[in-house]
Amino acid sequence: MIVAALKWIGGIDGFLELIDQRELPGEFVKLQCRDVEKLCEAIKTLAIRGAPAIGVAGGYGLVLATQRLTPDDNLKAGLACLVKTAEYLASSRPTGVNLFWALNRVRKKAEDFVAGKPGASLQQMQQVVLEEANAIYAEDVDMCRRIGENGRKFIKDGDGVLTHCNAGALATAGQGTALSVMFEAHKKGKKFKVYVDETRPLLQGARLTTWELKQAEIDVTLVCDNMSGWLMKQGKINAVITGADRIAANGDAANKIGTYSLSILAREHRVPFYIAAPSSTFDLSIKTGAEIPIEERAADEVTFLAGKKVAADGVDVYNPAFDVTQAADISAIITERGVIEKPTPSKIAEHLR
Ligand code: MRU
């Protein structure tokens, strides 16, 4: 069974229910976000995480915002509230583009609705906002499945597959991106082994990816981040498959810190390196990965491990949450539309057209 990372409960007066990923795998706790501040906090603290899931959550954040409008507010006030909330939510995490994409999409839908129906009620506008957020959710579910179907051919019987961070159901509304490829290969009866990097500092690989793969009864082995090169040297890895948080027009792809190192190791050991991501992860407004803003997170994520201090008092810390893999080191990008082999700007533009 594939878990649902997030779910909208009810109609325009409803709320967003999340699996609190900070507690996994120890506890399975649901978190109810009934206002935008709580949702923003949940995104910042990684209760909900993974670029596509954050995007879907952002869409619902705009529904939550409209719940504060009163019968005295008019449509203009309604649209202003969406703009302000979108700016606020956009400040939560800077690297994944899906959040900005979803916020813009929902806001634009409401603006177009109001422009076409200036006499509409505020409630009708709220309904449009909810329907668009629901549409993003449903599309994400469908995209995830199709990414898996398009990518499963890259996993062969007997393969060892390496993944980093968590690009599974917990990171999306559906069955994930990189993990969806594995789920679909597994469904086809392929026998393969998945190696999962721990993914320091927040251990998304150890805590979340192993949890998801165990539930799906896929053969999974956990390794520390610094072991992957040696696994490749030993011939244990036949493919690396990760997700992405933002892909530039030339195919450079931002993903969890450590992905770049894996891509260089994969190149050195002639192991194919695949990125699995929905088309909402592409940002064609930027030419290369150099323009992708890289989130830096708090020092205590590095100096503490499971609540215990693991570094000298007062040590300087650098904690970038993402890095950028060069397009030249990506064998293929797998999307819901198909596969972009050896991505180039023209192939990407053609693929997304
Ligand atoms: O900081 P996180 O846990 O949100 O980082 C998540 C990742 O880097 C994932 O690999 C990426 O979002 C792709 S998820 C489908």
Side-chain angles (χ1 to χ4, degrees), residues 44-272:
K44 280 183 181 168
T45 58
L46 272 59
I48 175 96
R49 44 145 302 281
I54 295 171
V56 175
Y60 286 120
L62 294 184
V63 186
L64 291 174
T66 65
Q67 294 173 352
R68 286 214 178 128
L69 295 165
T70 69
D72 293 337
D73 286 318
N74 56 21
L75 286 174
K76 198 168 159 225
L79 292 180
C81 159
L82 293 181
V83 171
K84 207 166 140 228
T85 308
E87 271 170 22
Y88 171 65
L89 285 171
S91 70
S92 59
R93 296 199 70 190
T95 302
V97 77
N98 314 61
L99 174 63
F100 311 111
W101 170 83
L103 291 170
N104 280 338
R105 178 170 152 177
V106 175
R107 187 186 42 76
K108 173 101 178 34
K109 186 80 184 182
E111 281 169 3
D112 289 350
F113 170 75
V114 170
K117 261 197 174 172
S121 70
L122 208 49
Q123 214 184 12
Q124 282 174 308
M125 188 201 82
Q126 268 184 297
Q127 192 60 40
V128 166
V129 171
L130 176 61
E131 277 164 19
E132 195 64 5
N134 282 338
I136 291 174
Y137 184 105
E139 285 168 29
D140 193 66
V141 172
D142 186 55
M143 286 195 287
C144 286
R145 185 187 42 79
R146 288 198 277 150
I147 288 169
E149 288 170 356
N150 291 336
R152 67 187 171 207
K153 64 181 177 203
F154 294 118
I155 299 181
K156 315 236 165 22
D157 262 328
D159 272 359
V161 179
L162 178 69
T163 192
H164 189 65
C165 194
N166 173 267
L170 290 167
T172 63
Q175 61 181 31
T177 57
L179 291 203
S180 176
V181 173
M182 298 170 205
F183 294 142
E184 290 297 329
H186 182 66
K187 257 198 227 164
K188 283 278 165 202
K190 294 188 187 181
K191 302 268 177 286
F192 55 97
K193 196 177 187 64
V194 183
Y195 290 92
V196 177
D197 279 344
E198 271 184 312
T199 319
R200 269 287 277 154
L202 294 180
L203 302 174
Q204 289 92 329
R207 294 188 301 107
L208 310 175
T209 301
T210 63
W211 183 78
E212 280 197 42
L213 291 173
K214 284 296 266 184
Q215 288 207 338
E217 297 181 358
I218 291 178
D219 182 353
V220 53
T221 299
L222 175 66
V223 294
C224 299
D225 294 326
N226 49 2
M227 297 174 182
S228 303
W230 189 239
L231 291 184
M232 290 187 203
K233 176 77 180 164
Q234 291 175 305
K236 289 184 190 293
I237 308 296
N238 305 96
V240 180
I241 312 178
T242 74
D245 293 78
R246 192 186 298 225
I247 305 174
N250 73 338
D252 290 350
N255 192 49
K256 179 53 56 189
I257 190 75
T259 308
Y260 168 70
S261 315
L262 287 183
S263 71
I264 303 298
L265 286 169
R267 184 219 291 158
E268 172 67 20
H269 294 91
R270 296 191 165 72
V271 172

